[in-house]
Amino acid sequence: MSVSVIVPAFRSSFVREAIQSALQQQQCPLEIIVVDSSPEVTLKQIQDCLNLVRHIPQPARGVSQARNVGITAARGDYIAFLDADDLWLPNKLQTQLSLLERYSEAGFCFSTTWNLFDGNNSDIPRDPYSPPELQAWVQSNGQVDGAFFGDVHELLLRVNCVATSSL
């Protein structure tokens, strides 16, 4: 099972760190595709790892269009999105691919996210993102191997509790 990581980039000062977190995965991705709408900013940051990523420049058309361009270019069995200002824990891909392989009926999987920041801004939550609707869904669904399974259609109609970089 292979995974293509798609990183939409637009004037991000953290794109190098995001790419490094993808490169440091226990389960190496097949490819990392950077769809870049600000090459004047991005290329300076990723110059030393250009041999490890596919760089696709494009005009600024929004993050959704950048993700679609990445999907079209992807060769992996699975797609994982990584925003240019996000980081992954080293076991993220391995954990999710293992679960998707074991439970092939699952259409997708997502994980918990945390906010990382420097400073003391009290407006930024310190706890993992878990809205009440997601907490109620978790309580009503069974846990297997540390993962919760169930139909999330109704949940996602009520609240978007899935961070893109956790898919």
Side-chain angles (χ1 to χ4, degrees), residues 46-68:
I46 66 170
Q47 195 65 40
D48 63 334
C49 60
L50 277 174
N51 60 326
L52 302 172
V53 302
R54 289 175 57 199
H55 181 261
I56 302 174
Q58 75 157 22
R61 293 188 220 145
V63 69
S64 297
Q65 178 65 23
R67 289 185 184 123
N68 288 334

Side-chain angles (χ1 to χ4, degrees), residues 93-144:
L93 288 181
Q94 182 178 37
T95 300
Q96 288 184 309
L97 286 172
S98 173
L99 288 168
L100 287 168
E101 185 175 350
R102 236 162 123 194
Y103 303 98
S104 58
E105 69 278 8
F108 67 96
C109 63
F110 62 97
S111 61
T112 303
T113 61
W114 289 268
N115 293 307
L116 300 175
F117 62 95
D118 288 334
N120 295 317
N121 187 338
S122 62
D123 293 333
I124 299 175
R126 296 195 178 344
D127 295 324
Y129 178 65
S130 183
E133 297 88 347
L134 176 59
Q135 291 174 25
W137 182 89
V138 163
Q139 290 175 359
S140 67
N141 286 276
Q143 181 180 9
V144 179

Side-chain angles (χ1 to χ4, degrees), residues 5 7-25 32-36 38-39 41-53 55 82-88:
V5 177
V7 182
F10 181 70
R11 297 186 183 148
S12 173
S13 56
F14 300 104
V15 67
R16 187 177 197 316
E17 290 86 350
I19 291 169
Q20 288 300 319
S21 77
L23 290 170
Q24 294 169 355
Q25 290 296 299
I32 300 171
I33 302 168
V34 177
V35 183
D36 186 8
S38 58
V41 174
T42 306
L43 287 173
K44 292 175 191 172
Q45 295 182 64
I46 66 170
Q47 195 65 40
D48 63 334
C49 60
L50 277 174
N51 60 326
L52 302 172
V53 302
H55 181 261
L82 175 59
D83 286 347
D85 60 351
D86 289 348
L87 302 172
W88 285 343

